[in-house]
Amino acid sequence: IRNSFPFKSTTYSTTPVNHIIGPQAELSATSAGTNTPMEVKWLTVDEESAGQRLDNFLIRHLKGVPKTHVYRIIRSGEVRVNKGRAAADTRIETGDVVRLPPVRISDKVAEKAARPAPGREFPLLLEDDALMAIDKPSGVAVHGGSGVSFGVIEQLRQARPQSKLLELVHRLDRETSGILLVAKKRSALKHLQDQFRERETGKTYLALVQGMWPEKLKVIDSPLLKFLLPDGERRVKVTTPDDPDGMRSITLVKVAERLNGCTLLEVTIKTGRTHQIRVHLASQGHPIAGDDKYGDFEWNKALNKQGLKRMFLHAWRLQFTHPATDKRIELKSALPPELQLYTNHVKPKPSPSSI
């Protein structure tokens, strides 16, 4: 088998495997173990891919190949840009020619690739040549990983095979519903992500929390720290200002409506930390209804019996500058029916004197 490779690989063992990614992917398991020479693949970078890091470009084209393998073939020099070695963080340009070696994958990965995500369209709030804004339902991850086979972006790509590029601009937790931006052009992706990074967007959520939120508590400026539970699951907690690993996190809170035993809040985040809203609100003694990570579990059980079977966190409003027109855009997503239904259920009954 070693002699069947036209180059020396520092990435893979000589253990026979059945699947090859590349121009000869149709080779059978038997021919993969013979002296039939395997060809490399040459990709010319188009305008939509220009400006990308080399590692991200490869990960997109070598679907199903573990990221660790991608980085190894870059380091070994088997990947070349314009016939020369290149680092993972090299920015590729239009017209660059990228050499991809044949990359072998396991049966498990090949089986997964043979069963792609089911194509799915999502409700649209806005779509043009540069971007699309979808109304993401609760319970759907934005992308595959961490035990999830696929998410919104994989399903969109399957539903729109003609699209040259579909990339997530930002993320929402799986349990969170509401506005999610997807870029359709590389230039739009960069423009929008720059806005998110520079805090030039306005992101406001609707959250239902336990108890009566204090009217005067309008700003939470508490650093957050990521950590892992013993089983490896990720969590976030508020830490002290002098913690070197803490990330400054700012959340603005406005009372939208006071309800029976709970408060509906408009929550605007000035920083976009993992689980920021959930942890900040819970840290003030007012956890989000239905939050299975940071919530009041006994309250959650009672809510479930009353018909609320998901977390009450909804990406309600998003403001940003359109990457093509430079116009300021404001999008709103109405509360999903199940959240509106529960809100109606806990509205205070009008007093006899007001009838």
Side-chain angles (χ1 to χ4, degrees):
I1 291 176
R2 186 185 302 276
N3 294 334
S4 68
F5 284 88
F7 50 83
K8 182 179 178 181
S9 173
T10 59
T11 307
Y12 304 99
S13 71
T14 55
T15 305
V17 291
N18 297 336
H19 303 281
I20 302 167
I21 287 182
Q24 292 194 357
E26 71 278 4
L27 289 176
S28 67
T30 54
S31 64
T34 69
N35 288 325
T36 304
M38 295 186 297
E39 298 175 2
V40 298
K41 188 174 183 179
W42 301 89
L43 298 176
T44 301
V45 178
D46 60 17
E47 289 184 7
E48 286 302 323
S49 298
Q52 260 192 307
R53 284 172 50 121
L54 177 61
D55 52 359
N56 292 333
F57 177 79
L58 294 178
I59 289 166
R60 183 74 193 276
H61 283 276
L62 296 174
K63 295 185 187 302
V65 177
K67 289 183 180 180
T68 52
H69 290 187
V70 172
Y71 286 108
R72 284 173 188 164
I73 60 175
I74 294 173
R75 287 196 301 268
S76 70
E78 294 170 39
V79 172
R80 303 240 166 181
V81 178
N82 301 328
K83 299 185 178 180
R85 282 177 173 262
D89 60 357
T90 298
R91 296 284 176 178
I92 54 176
E93 301 298 336
T94 304
D96 283 351
V97 178
V98 180
R99 174 195 189 274
L100 293 185
V103 180
R104 292 174 286 173
I105 58 175
S106 68
D107 288 347
K108 184 177 179 180
V109 171
E111 183 182 349
K112 182 179 177 181
R115 293 184 287 103
R120 178 179 176 182
E121 291 282 359
F122 295 86
L124 288 170
L125 299 169
L126 171 71
E127 181 173 17
D128 55 31
D129 292 341
L131 60 90
M132 57 196 296
I134 69 170
D135 205 353
K136 186 187 89 68
S138 175
V140 181
V142 294
H143 59 74
S146 301
V148 180
S149 299
F150 56 83
V152 169
I153 197 65
E154 290 87 0
Q155 291 192 285
L156 276 176
R157 287 169 182 160
Q158 282 298 120
R160 299 181 175 215
Q162 75 285 358
S163 296
K164 287 187 176 181
L165 180 133
L166 291 172
E167 293 284 356
L168 292 168
V169 174
H170 60 116
R171 288 165 173 73
L172 293 177
D173 288 347
R174 183 177 183 176
E175 302 89 347
T176 304
S177 53
I179 306 169
L180 180 68
L181 289 186
V182 176
K184 296 168 68 176
K185 289 186 175 181
R186 183 73 50 193
S187 56
L189 178 66
K190 183 179 184 305
H191 193 293
L192 289 165
Q193 287 185 333
D194 285 347
Q195 290 181 56
F196 275 85
R197 184 169 51 254
E198 298 301 323
R199 304 177 189 175
E200 295 170 354
T201 59
K203 295 180 289 183
T204 303
Y205 295 70
L206 293 176
L208 188 76
V209 298
Q210 187 178 43
M212 295 295 104
W213 186 270
E215 192 70 47
K216 293 182 179 179
L217 182 52
K218 297 180 179 181
V219 181
I220 304 172
D221 186 353
S222 303
L224 296 177
L225 177 70
K226 290 182 184 179
F227 68 100
L228 294 178
L229 295 176
D231 62 1
E233 190 172 351
R234 180 182 61 180
R235 284 289 191 277
V236 179
K237 64 181 179 181
V238 169
T239 187
T240 57
D242 58 353
D243 188 334
D245 296 320
M247 302 287 286
R248 189 180 183 190
S249 308
I250 303 171
T251 302
L252 309 182
V253 184
K254 176 184 176 183
V255 173
E257 191 173 4
R258 295 197 179 277
L259 304 165
N260 287 329
C262 50
T263 311
L264 183 64
L265 302 176
E266 292 180 14
V267 185
T268 300
I269 53 174
K270 307 306 288 184
T271 50
R273 311 301 182 201
T274 300
H275 298 168
Q276 176 175 326
I277 295 175
R278 300 163 69 175
V279 176
H280 266 177
L281 299 185
S283 73
Q284 302 301 314
H286 300 276
I288 295 177
D291 189 339
D292 63 358
K293 285 185 171 66
Y294 308 101
D296 181 319
F297 303 136
E298 289 304 314
W299 187 43
N300 288 347
K301 288 179 184 177
L303 294 172
N304 195 280
K305 290 178 181 178
Q306 294 170 20
L308 184 62
K309 302 182 183 300
R310 55 158 290 194
M311 181 171 66
F312 200 125
L313 183 59
H314 180 68
W316 166 56
R317 183 174 66 203
L318 180 63
Q319 299 161 317
F320 61 94
T321 300
H322 195 284
T325 66
D326 247 8
K327 289 183 179 178
R328 194 67 176 170
I329 304 292
E330 178 176 284
L331 300 175
K332 285 187 179 180
S333 164
L335 271 180
E338 69 274 14
L339 298 188
Q340 187 60 61
L341 192 66
Y342 188 77
T343 302
N344 295 340
H345 173 69
V346 290
K347 281 184 184 292
K349 299 290 188 292
S351 60
S353 58
S354 65
I355 299 177

